[in-house]
Amino acid sequence: MPGNLYNICSNLPATPTRLERLLRDRELRKYSKCLNDCEAELPSSTQDCFSPDLESSTCWFNDEELLEPVSASRSLNDDGERLDFRASKQRLLVVANRLPVSAVRHGEDSWQLEMSVGGLVTALLGVKEFDTRWIGWAGVNVPDEIGQKALAKALDEKRCIPVFLDEEVVHQYYNGYCNNILWPLFHYIGLPQEDRLATTRSFQSQFDAYKKANQLFADVVNEHYEEGDVVWCHDYHLMFLPKCLKERNSKMKVGWFLHTPFPSSEIHRMLPSRLELLRSVLAADLVGFHTYDYARHFVSACTRILGLEGTPEGVEDQGKLTRIAAFPVGIDSERFIKALELPEVQDHMKVLKQRFAGRKVMLGVDRLDMIKGIPQKILAFEKFLEENPNWRNKVVLLQIAVPTRTDVPEYQKLTSQVHEIVGRINGRFGSLTAVPIHHLDRSLDFHELCALYAVTDVALVTSLRDGMNLVSYEYVACQESKKGVLILSEFAGAAQSLGAGAILVNPWNVTEVASSIGYALNMPADEREKRHHHNFKHVISHTAQEWAATFVSELNVTIVEAQLRTRQIPPPLPIEVAVDRYSCSNNRLLILGFNATLTEPVDTLGRKDSQINEWEPKLRPDLQEPLRKLCDDPKTTVLILSGSARNVLDDNFSDYNLWLAAENGMFLRVTTGDWMTTMPENLSMEWVDSVKNVFEYFTDRTPRSQFEVRETSLIWNYKYSDVEFGRLQARDLLQHLWTGPISNASLDVVQGRRSVEVRSVAVTKGAAIDRILGEIVHNKGMKEPIDYVLCIGHFLTKDEDIYTFFEPELPSEVPASVRPQVPTQVRTSTAGSRAALLLKQNSMSAVEQNKSYSIDGDTLHLMVTDRISFQEGSSVLDLQANDYFSCSVARKRSNSRYRLQSSDEVVTLLRELADHR
Ligand SMILES: O=P(O)(O)OC[C@H]1O[C@H](O[C@H]2O[C@H](CO)[C@@H](O)[C@H](O)[C@H]2O)[C@H](O)[C@@H](O)[C@@H]1O
Ligand SMILES: O=c1ccn([C@@H]2O[C@H](COP(=O)(O)OP(=O)(O)O)[C@@H](O)[C@H]2O)c(=O)[nH]1
């Protein structure tokens, strides 16, 4: 039977790194774009054409601008040949709550489609490199089949696929869970309080509706999915979707992108469904955010709330890595820049210039949402007017407030609040002929908006939190001629990219915003130019197209990387086979680790809340019965081989008829007998005091960390401490150990997942096993060789030498350098593990002759080293390759032949074995 592919892999030629793949992809994209640009200059008859017919007058996008069909795109292959991608353009299924169009019904089977409003739509319409289909809710309830069919047909022309949600689901899922729970929480507004408490009570039903809606989206995706498609899920509405999709088809390429901020883990912790949501998102292959901060918060939530491992690459759970990264969205800047030359836009500009002649114009464009800080903006403007009477008739604020989520009470309240403030200020500073604030409660068409962006002097974005804020990008794109000033909230994602050119403000600080308005209005032309130029460069180079292409490219690469990584993970233990071979054998040896093998897993959740009495490792209650049955089977020998100290094993296993090997096999006892030591002679323990000192120091300074002194090792663990703090402390501690006073001692510093252990170099499970084996064979007076070995444990890499000990034959293609080795001094000081495998039964007496004991205090010393001299041809082991099962538990990478995911699976296995005597 071959060893696992981990070893074999190392023979392969070097594979490109993730970065190399991404860079290559980027080059190819650049080249492809260049070819497309050249092609654009060809006569139109040579190009693909697309002419959908959006009827709506409010539609912003002309015929060519909606989702485009497959168009030519070319690139080079590895040998520099020109490739035509026309036929092979990658299919992309964009799944978002909203379709880019909303539907309005005009009759039983007649629909009008109107452009939806919002940054997500704007961003995704810029995506043109793929053969894209958009799956989403059309924003309307269609209970009847005729209506559904007609709408699906109308949408199909726009390459859109509807998900039909009934009114109740929309109410609970969209208005309720999405917009009254997740949206405010992700924007740091918190969960419903006081009058919104009623909503909290209905939290569960809203969450159920949320899951149901996500499942409905998944059903539609599955219906339209073709092998090889990339499925890109969007936003907080669909956090459950990756899980639904992967459960049905684990091979589907699934990415998820969040358009809002992801809040600090301390905020996310408040959410009653915090665990389920995180886990569902982690089912995706790639998870993207607008900024590094949001990505960092997400990883931190996974480590702190789920207890998972956060790495620079992403989040790891049981060997599966979900890649987490930042992909700041952009806009289709060309579309805005070109629009400024259109006659319609020029006309609007002329009208606006005349209308506001002699006055500076400030602009606000927002959905009427509490996160946009509209009241704060208006109050700051009021303060500015108050403090600068000379500006009162010389400046006007145009605020476009697009109605949104109008069924949610919070949004209704906000509308009245804003109206009231605007009315008050206009009353205070207005005259018969002019008012300082023009407030519009509606959306504008694309041309009107472009004109507004182009003619205004200052844009004022005061979001209290905002995933990105595309309005600020659009404003910059339209200001190439005027070079207006952007005042931008530091809480918008856009502040990270446009911050250097904008005036950054804290919207909560009304005084600061007011004085920034003054600064912007008075800014000299050269400073405006410099600032604008900086931002303009960013906006035209970081486009929506680039954003989407980068995300999809990274997703493709992530899948390749995951496949490579999977090859390094041992395959799952074939439980049926292991049980079957067990039943066929006559003399079996079961070697079981203890911690995280026979105990409940501690490293998932609730570390902070665990109580001290849970800290002691305890045998899982559900293992007691199967273990007892196994121990009482005369054909089976059970050995618990653990790093734990003797008393811990005594406490857990004294009642069972088995063998205990404590401290990595340095102490041995059959439960009917006394402890004896199998420690190699001359084991130096002189280092103990200095290490103890260091461990004490770190234990004092790391709450809930523990430090244990064993006879052959010292161990400091922080599995119940704050994960991140523990990790920092461990790094410091290791640094000190490696460079400090013990740096030259003959000992090993072994780093566990949440522990640091120091032990003498000769102490490993593999090093101890042949001495243990000799004693067991002798003590039991075995008449037959062992013909079945199952060795399972959550062992440290250093202790994985135990697996190799029994390995009947390592595959010949595995280079010696990667074979796990039993340390030489141990091999030579004993009968030699390989030799032991070959010896035959008639040497049993030889074992006895070469063993002696001595007593030191209450410890019996077993001395077997270089005294077992089996006769040629005899063996205590008669192990066929398919009767040996080495199996790691809850380890991502291992030299074992197989793996079990967790101790839960150990329970299943041992139960099965116990039932097959
Ligand atoms: O569909 P609605 O509920 O009416 O809301 C409109 C959209 O608002 C949010 O937009 C976000 O995405 C932008 C682009 O990435 C980003 O710039 C902005 O900061 C975000 O607020 C929401 O996330 C979308 O799902 C909604 O469609
Ligand atoms: O009358 C309007 C005003 C704005 N927008 C668009 O709505 C988007 C707003 O995106 P942003 O990222 O600023 O915020 P969001 O509304 O998505 O939170 C921008 O693309 C605007 O051009 C629109 O479609 N109609």
Side-chain angles (χ1 to χ4, degrees):
M1 185 182 291
N4 71 60
L5 286 164
Y6 176 60
N7 294 333
I8 293 166
C9 263
S10 52
N11 273 349
L12 297 173
T15 43
T17 64
R18 186 168 55 84
L19 196 63
E20 280 163 357
R21 283 178 220 283
L22 289 169
L23 286 171
R24 204 179 102 118
D25 219 41
R26 193 165 187 267
E27 284 299 298
L28 287 174
R29 278 208 314 275
K30 261 198 208 156
Y31 188 78
S32 161
K33 183 173 184 310
C34 176
L35 287 174
N36 274 340
D37 290 351
C38 299
E39 211 159 60
E41 281 155 30
L42 294 173
S44 60
S45 60
T46 62
Q47 298 174 37
D48 289 337
C49 58
F50 175 58
S51 47
D53 54 340
L54 272 185
E55 298 148 34
S56 159
S57 55
T58 56
C59 168
W60 288 23
F61 293 79
N62 62 26
D63 286 357
E64 290 78 26
E65 285 171 330
L66 201 58
L67 294 170
E68 285 190 350
V70 180
S71 67
S73 159
R74 290 176 184 165
S75 187
L76 287 185
N77 72 5
D78 281 352
D79 306 321
E81 272 174 55
R82 204 170 137 100
L83 297 175
D84 196 336
F85 277 20
R86 198 177 299 261
S88 62
K89 214 171 182 185
Q90 186 157 25
R91 266 176 52 112
L92 175 65
L93 300 184
V94 165
V95 198
N97 173 61
R98 235 176 232 292
L99 287 173
V101 284
S102 304
V104 182
R105 195 163 191 170
H106 282 308
E108 202 184 17
D109 61 355
S110 155
W111 290 92
Q112 183 186 332
L113 303 177
E114 289 176 1
M115 187 55 56
S116 310
V117 175
L120 186 141
V121 171
T122 311
L124 285 167
L125 282 171
V127 175
K128 293 180 178 139
E129 267 197 35
F130 304 91
D131 176 11
T132 309
R133 275 154 192 74
W134 192 310
I135 295 174
W137 171 56
V140 63
N141 180 28
V142 195
D144 58 305
E145 207 175 309
I146 298 181
Q148 291 192 357
K149 274 196 178 147
L151 179 55
K153 188 159 176 276
L155 288 170
D156 185 53
E157 286 169 25
K158 314 292 173 221
R159 308 173 76 76
C160 292
I161 301 160
V163 176
F164 293 108
L165 304 174
D166 68 40
E167 258 172 5
E168 183 53 20
V169 170
V170 169
H171 182 61
Q172 299 257 355
Y173 143 79
Y174 179 66
N175 296 332
Y177 197 74
C178 290
N179 291 334
N180 206 19
I181 305 270
L182 289 182
W183 178 266
L185 192 78
F186 283 10
H187 290 88
Y188 292 77
I189 296 171
L191 288 173
Q193 288 175 18
E194 297 150 23
D195 54 330
R196 290 165 72 206
L197 264 180
T199 335
T200 319
R201 270 183 249 126
S202 54
F203 177 89
Q204 193 52 47
S205 61
Q206 292 183 357
F207 187 52
D208 290 344
Y210 180 83
K211 290 197 274 189
K212 183 172 169 193
N214 275 242
Q215 188 55 57
L216 290 170
F217 276 83
D219 293 345
V220 178
V221 174
N222 288 326
E223 201 182 309
H224 293 266
Y225 173 81
E226 287 176 16
E227 203 181 319
D229 286 359
V230 164
V231 183
W232 190 3
C233 315
H234 289 267
D235 236 356
Y236 59 99
H237 312 91
L238 300 178
M239 293 178 84
F240 225 71
L241 185 56
K243 180 169 176 270
C244 299
L245 294 174
K246 285 285 192 175
E247 268 172 4
R248 170 87 179 263
N249 179 356
S250 62
K251 294 217 173 84
M252 198 183 270
K253 294 180 189 175
V254 179
W256 181 80
F257 187 87
L258 183 65
H259 290 263
T260 70
F262 191 88
S264 145
S265 61
E266 286 302 306
I267 296 281
H268 185 80
R269 280 179 63 186
M270 291 157 63
L271 197 61
S273 49
R274 59 196 182 181
L275 304 178
E276 270 183 280
L277 284 182
L278 290 176
R279 285 216 175 273
S280 316
V281 168
L282 285 176
D285 300 292
L286 174 64
V287 171
F289 299 90
H290 281 312
T291 71
Y292 171 68
D293 279 336
Y294 307 157
R296 181 169 63 80
H297 289 154
F298 180 80
V299 173
S300 168
C302 293
T303 37
R304 288 171 172 275
I305 300 172
L306 295 180
L308 299 179
E309 205 70 42
T311 73
E313 307 251 286
V315 175
E316 255 189 75
D317 184 11
Q318 318 243 30
K320 190 225 174 236
L321 176 81
T322 306
R323 180 145 169 72
I324 317 290
F327 303 88
V329 74
I331 59 166
D332 183 356
S333 49
E334 252 180 60
R335 198 174 134 248
F336 283 86
I337 295 167
K338 279 188 188 154
L340 297 181
E341 287 156 21
L342 297 173
E344 306 90 299
V345 178
Q346 292 283 336
D347 288 349
H348 283 307
M349 285 166 64
K350 209 183 286 165
V351 173
L352 287 167
K353 279 180 188 165
Q354 279 166 4
R355 172 79 180 77
F356 296 109
R359 292 209 265 178
K360 292 268 187 188
V361 186
M362 300 188 48
L363 177 66
V365 178
D366 308 273
R367 275 182 308 102
L368 190 43
D369 193 308
M370 47 275 190
I371 67 148
K372 300 291 180 181
I374 299 173
Q376 284 79 352
K377 178 182 335 196
I378 300 174
L379 290 175
F381 186 61
E382 178 184 30
K383 190 163 175 57
F384 171 74
L385 294 178
E386 207 173 80
E387 289 171 355
N388 299 276
N390 53 325
W391 273 102
R392 280 185 197 163
N393 288 318
K394 295 189 190 134
V395 61
V396 59
L397 170 64
L398 300 185
Q399 176 63 48
I400 313 299
V402 183
T404 184
R405 306 169 193 176
T406 43
D407 291 337
V408 180
E410 289 297 299
Y411 287 77
Q412 295 159 1
K413 246 191 269 164
L414 178 70
T415 312
S416 348
Q417 189 195 7
V418 170
H419 286 175
E420 192 223 294
I421 307 175
V422 170
R424 186 175 56 71
I425 299 173
N426 278 344
R428 185 173 169 200
F429 295 109
S431 66
L432 276 178
T433 50
V435 285
I437 304 176
H438 287 243
H439 179 87
L440 246 66
D441 262 356
R442 67 172 180 86
S443 61
L444 301 181
D445 79 27
F446 179 59
H447 298 139
E448 280 177 313
L449 191 72
C450 288
L452 259 186
Y453 281 146
V455 300
T456 45
D457 300 276
V458 176
L460 194 44
V461 176
T462 51
S463 309
L464 305 179
R465 294 277 164 181
D466 213 336
M468 178 55 83
N469 190 276
L470 294 182
V471 162
S472 52
Y473 274 59
E474 292 165 4
Y475 179 72
V476 170
C478 294
Q479 280 286 328
E480 198 40 1
S481 127
K482 199 165 172 64
K483 317 227 167 8
V485 183
L486 172 65
I487 298 178
L488 178 59
S489 163
E490 63 185 67
F491 297 114
Q496 305 214 357
S497 37
L498 305 181
I503 301 177
L504 284 188
V505 290
N506 171 0
W508 295 102
N509 186 340
V510 171
T511 311
E512 185 195 346
V513 179
S515 69
S516 298
I517 293 174
Y519 187 69
L521 290 172
N522 292 308
M523 190 182 284
D526 59 339
E527 184 178 343
R528 278 195 284 121
E529 172 140 16
K530 231 189 255 168
R531 285 176 179 267
H532 168 77
H533 184 66
H534 177 88
N535 282 346
F536 188 74
K537 240 173 54 193
H538 182 91
V539 169
I540 59 170
S541 55
H542 294 76
T543 59
Q545 290 91 322
E546 197 51 37
W547 165 71
T550 312
F551 186 91
V552 175
S553 155
E554 180 101 22
L555 177 54
N556 283 322
V557 168
T558 300
I559 304 281
V560 174
E561 298 272 305
Q563 284 163 351
L564 289 174
R565 225 187 343 266
T566 315
R567 290 202 220 149
Q568 302 177 353
I569 304 172
L573 177 76
I575 293 188
E576 262 180 44
V577 180
V579 173
D580 185 48
R581 299 306 303 165
Y582 179 85
S583 345
C584 300
S585 53
N586 288 318
N587 189 10
R588 308 116 173 188
L589 175 63
L590 305 188
I591 303 175
L592 310 174
F594 178 41
N595 288 286
T597 304
L598 306 181
T599 62
E600 305 267 9
V602 285
D603 54 350
T604 44
L605 230 207
R607 196 167 302 112
K608 277 192 180 160
D609 315 324
S610 67
Q611 302 290 295
I612 191 152
N613 56 355
E614 297 163 19
W615 291 8
E616 278 293 312
K618 281 194 191 70
L619 175 69
R620 294 175 62 129
D622 48 4
L623 271 177
Q624 290 170 357
E625 193 197 323
L627 187 63
R628 195 169 301 287
K629 275 194 193 165
L630 290 167
C631 293
D632 292 344
D633 183 339
K635 290 203 284 187
T636 303
T637 304
V638 179
L639 166 68
I640 307 292
L641 178 51
S642 167
S644 295
R646 287 179 278 178
N647 64 316
V648 176
L649 298 190
D650 282 340
D651 290 348
N652 281 283
F653 298 103
S654 287
D655 295 346
Y656 296 82
N657 176 23
L658 45 63
W659 285 79
L660 297 174
E663 302 214 10
N664 297 309
M666 295 300 115
F667 296 96
L668 182 68
R669 149 188 196 212
V670 60
T671 39
T672 49
D674 294 326
W675 283 105
M676 59 188 94
T677 171
T678 68
M679 244 188 278
E681 287 162 6
N682 312 322
L683 194 68
S684 160
M685 300 297 287
E686 277 162 15
W687 46 270
V688 167
D689 283 344
S690 28
V691 174
K692 204 165 145 191
N693 226 354
V694 179
F695 277 15
E696 267 166 4
Y697 175 90
F698 279 91
T699 308
D700 285 350
R701 281 157 187 78
T702 315
R704 300 168 76 92
S705 72
Q706 292 164 290
F707 139 55
E708 203 184 319
V709 184
R710 297 172 183 168
E711 290 187 50
T712 55
S713 66
L714 298 183
I715 180 157
W716 177 72
N717 90 57
Y718 56 96
K719 61 184 169 194
Y720 301 104
S721 309
D722 180 285
V723 195
E724 280 157 33
F725 184 58
R727 223 178 268 154
L728 285 176
Q729 292 287 80
R731 199 185 305 165
D732 233 18
L733 183 152
L734 284 166
Q735 179 81 1
H736 186 78
L737 288 178
W738 283 324
T739 56
I742 48 139
S743 57
N744 291 324
S746 167
L747 48 79
D748 275 325
V749 179
V750 189
Q751 203 177 346
R753 193 155 164 238
R754 306 243 197 273
S755 65
V756 177
E757 186 177 339
V758 180
R759 47 164 109 147
S760 183
V761 277
V763 178
T764 71
K765 292 185 168 77
I769 191 65
D770 58 352
R771 280 166 280 160
I772 292 174
L773 206 57
E775 176 59 19
I776 291 177
V777 168
H778 159 72
N779 182 292
K780 288 194 99 172
M782 281 184 187
K783 293 284 177 281
E784 280 186 76
I786 294 167
D787 58 357
Y788 177 96
V789 174
L790 170 70
C791 176
I792 54 179
H794 177 81
F795 299 138
L796 294 170
T797 315
K798 190 169 172 54
D799 290 317
E800 287 205 339
D801 53 2
I802 177 100
Y803 299 141
T804 331
F805 178 89
F806 293 97
E807 199 60 63
E809 191 160 359
L810 285 170
S812 55
E813 65 271 39
V814 178
S817 59
V818 296
R819 287 182 187 197
Q821 298 282 326
V822 177
T824 331
Q825 74 269 34
V826 177
R827 282 169 159 255
T828 52
S829 68
T830 67
S833 52
R834 309 302 300 170
L837 299 177
L838 298 168
L839 297 173
K840 276 204 185 128
Q841 190 187 343
N842 60 5
S843 70
M844 296 299 168
S845 55
V847 177
E848 193 176 359
Q849 282 164 15
N850 289 285
K851 192 158 63 69
S852 63
Y853 300 95
S854 72
I855 295 176
D856 166 19
D858 57 357
T859 308
L860 185 70
H861 285 258
L862 164 71
M863 289 176 283
V864 288
T865 43
D866 64 34
R867 268 169 291 274
I868 307 177
S869 55
F870 298 114
Q871 286 164 15
E872 184 60 31
S874 60
S875 175
V876 293
L877 286 171
D878 181 12
L879 204 52
Q880 301 301 310
N882 54 358
D883 286 321
Y884 174 49
F885 298 87
S886 60
C887 183
S888 52
V889 180
R891 285 246 170 254
K892 333 179 242 253
R893 254 154 245 144
S894 168
N895 287 316
S896 61
R897 289 177 166 214
Y898 304 106
R899 84 189 140 93
L900 288 175
Q901 294 273 47
S902 67
S903 70
D904 292 342
E905 292 191 1
V906 176
V907 177
T908 313
L909 171 68
L910 295 191
R911 276 190 182 144
E912 290 272 330
L913 293 179
D915 290 343
H916 288 77
R917 298 192 149 233

